[in-house]
């Protein structure tokens, strides 16, 4: 069984040296192509990458930097920790935390969006409405539209919930198509929508 962590090392200039097979596998690159590559080039520009570059330049130990990179066209996240080496450079350990990041993103999405229609949910609508009401106090304008579907219960009762779900999804798409791009459309629950 393979470990979920792998070792890495960089020279005093921050270039990867002697990447192991586990590192190469995690990158989905040949070890020969990684050898001599600046470690920072693997990652997307971010504040965390700035911190990594500072640690690499100074040869300072660090723990728990989480950085994003693209592997096979997909976003991935690694957490890196390292200690200085004698003679310069750093040696460290990396962990792929992509599954955790994706799970966090999914939980956050589920907290703010309706699972059936992908519209904002009641919680996100209320948060956004609160922010916009604060702006109204500063001479901005605001409009709120609330609507529900008449006799929706009879659709579910006579044609079944799968048809009712399709109807709700189609209504969501039509409302989105009728408003401006910066307007928020939400499903508040059941057959209730708001813009």
């Amino acid at each position: 069984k393979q470990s979920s962590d792998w070792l890495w090392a960089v020279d005093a200039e921050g270039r990867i040296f002697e990447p192991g097979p586990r590192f190469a596998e995690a990158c989905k690159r040949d070890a020969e192509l990684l050898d001599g590559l600046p470690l920072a080039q693997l990652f997307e520009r971010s504040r965390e990458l700035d911190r990594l570059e500072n640690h690499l330049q100074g040869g300072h130990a660090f723990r728990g930097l989480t950085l994003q990179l693209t592997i096979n066209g997909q976003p991935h996240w690694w957490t890196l920790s390292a200690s200085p080496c004698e003679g310069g450079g750093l040696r460290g350990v990396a962990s792929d935390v992509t599954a955790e990041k994706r799970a966090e993103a999914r939980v956050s999405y589920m907290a703010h969006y309706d699972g059936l229609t992908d519209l904002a949910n009641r919680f996100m609508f209320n948060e956004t409405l609160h922010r916009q009401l604060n702006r109204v106090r500063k001479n901005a304008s605001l409009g709120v539209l609330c609507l529900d579907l008449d006799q929706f219960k009879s659709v579910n009762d006579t044609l079944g919930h799968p048809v009712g779900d399709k109807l709700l999804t189609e209504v969501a798409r039509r409302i989105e198509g009728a408003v401006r791009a910066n307007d928020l459309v939400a499903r508040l629950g059941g057959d209730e929508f708001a813009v």
Side-chain angles (χ1 to χ4, degrees), residues 33-48:
L33 297 176
L34 290 171
D35 201 13
L37 183 74
L39 179 67
Q41 279 188 14
L42 293 177
F43 303 103
E44 305 293 328
R45 181 54 54 197
S46 68
R47 253 188 266 154
E48 291 286 282

Side-chain angles (χ1 to χ4, degrees), residues 2 5-10 16-36 39 42 78 91-92 94:
Q2 290 183 334
D5 298 342
W6 61 94
L7 300 176
W8 59 272
V10 294
I16 300 166
F17 72 88
E18 298 177 0
R22 178 71 183 100
F23 187 175
E25 180 187 329
C27 287
K28 304 288 189 247
R29 298 186 187 188
D30 291 331
E32 299 81 35
L33 297 176
L34 290 171
D35 201 13
L39 179 67
L42 293 177
W78 289 358
R91 286 190 184 278

